[in-house]
Amino acid sequence: AQKITQTQPGMFVQEKEAVTLDCTYDTSDPSYGLFWYKQPSSGEMIFLIYQGSYDQQNATEGRYSLNFQKARKSANLVISASQLGDSAMYFCAMREGPGTASKLTFGTGTRLQVTL
Amino acid sequence: EAGVAQSPRYKIIEKRQSVAFWCNPISGHATLYWYQQILGQGPKLLIQFQNNGVVDDSQLPKDRFSAERLKGVDSTLKIQPAKLEDSAVYLCASRRGLVGAGELFFGEGSRLTVL
């Protein structure tokens, strides 16, 4: 079974609009973390935002917010006021496992294209 | 603070040849990861080091891939002999802490093409 599912291979959004990138996850571990990374064409993975499984509030970082719905096992990324520079691949990832053995598993990604 | 350094950025080899990639993590980061990212897919963990010890290498094809992290700092990933399906970007990442909450910092990757 897929640990992390991103069902949108590609998305388009107009500049200055908001966009939601979907992510669902599967784990039986009560303690886990969810991450979103951006990968521009240069190839580097850039950390955007983190949500812990016990966090009561949704994480926010500037124009990025994470819509965490624990019962539905979803962790969607919301980008507000899209900019042309937001065009990139976006990966959802989940950390699970105890302590030093914890590892990060990535989804297949969503390619976001911001248009004028 | 300098980021994660990787070299070479690009490598083209023929199948059955060997190749090695080098990674220098962020100073002080105890945990180091090697990921393989095939075109159009998300990164897949190959091996995870904690200082100079291996924590997880369950997805490393050990008949052809090897990795080491001597002295708990730099790391090398070797492929010998390479196959066509090894064409991918090899990403190195590091994390400061020993326990899982912190984010991973990635290098720019080493793109391997096997002909």
Side-chain angles (χ1 to χ4, degrees):
Chain A
Q2 291 287 336
K3 292 279 189 179
I4 294 284
T5 302
Q6 295 181 254
T7 57
Q8 306 154 312
M11 291 281 287
F12 286 89
V13 65
Q14 264 192 323
E15 197 180 18
K16 301 189 182 109
E17 297 291 311
V19 63
T20 298
L21 307 183
D22 294 342
C23 173
T24 57
Y25 60 91
D26 182 26
T27 183
S28 56
D29 195 337
S31 176
Y32 54 90
L34 297 155
F35 298 77
W36 276 91
Y37 281 84
K38 172 184 178 182
Q39 188 177 44
S41 55
S42 60
E44 186 176 0
M45 299 285 277
I46 302 167
F47 166 75
L48 296 178
I49 197 166
Y50 168 79
Q51 179 86 42
S53 58
Y54 293 120
D55 293 344
Q56 295 294 317
Q57 294 194 322
N58 288 343
T60 60
E61 289 285 348
R63 294 186 299 110
Y64 305 108
S65 60
L66 200 152
N67 183 2
F68 181 46
Q69 297 187 46
K70 196 169 182 177
R72 298 179 61 184
K73 294 190 173 180
S74 75
N76 299 339
L77 176 71
V78 180
I79 305 175
S80 62
S82 296
Q83 302 172 356
L84 294 177
D86 294 335
S87 295
M89 283 291 289
Y90 288 80
F91 290 95
C92 180
M94 177 173 65
R95 170 192 55 77
E96 58 179 343
T100 57
S102 67
K103 58 184 178 183
L104 207 61
T105 303
F106 286 82
T108 52
T110 296
R111 181 172 297 280
L112 178 66
Q113 185 68 46
V114 181
T115 61
L116 291 170
Chain B
E1 178 178 68
V4 177
Q6 289 188 247
S7 67
R9 287 294 314 277
Y10 304 93
K11 189 74 176 179
I12 301 173
I13 60 173
E14 298 198 345
K15 60 183 179 183
R16 292 188 288 275
Q17 287 187 322
S18 63
V19 63
F21 302 112
W22 173 82
C23 173
N24 185 13
I26 294 173
S27 178
H29 280 199
T31 311
L32 185 148
Y33 306 79
W34 282 101
Y35 281 85
Q36 178 193 58
Q37 186 176 20
I38 293 172
L39 186 66
Q41 299 181 16
K44 182 185 89 171
L45 179 67
L46 292 176
I47 189 166
Q48 175 182 345
F49 290 96
Q50 202 70 35
N51 295 310
N52 61 348
V54 175
V55 174
D56 184 353
D57 63 356
S58 57
Q59 298 194 87
L60 187 75
K62 297 181 186 64
D63 57 335
R64 298 183 302 105
F65 285 65
S66 65
E68 60 182 9
R69 190 183 184 197
L70 299 176
K71 302 179 184 177
V73 181
D74 294 8
S75 177
T76 56
L77 175 70
K78 297 179 182 177
I79 308 174
Q80 182 179 14
K83 292 185 175 181
L84 296 177
E85 59 261 36
D86 299 332
S87 294
V89 176
Y90 291 86
L91 293 164
C92 180
S94 69
R95 190 184 72 215
R96 181 182 305 279
L98 299 179
V99 182
E103 75 265 27
L104 272 61
F105 294 86
F106 283 83
E108 292 185 313
S110 294
R111 183 179 297 276
L112 174 66
T113 302
V114 182
L115 303 175

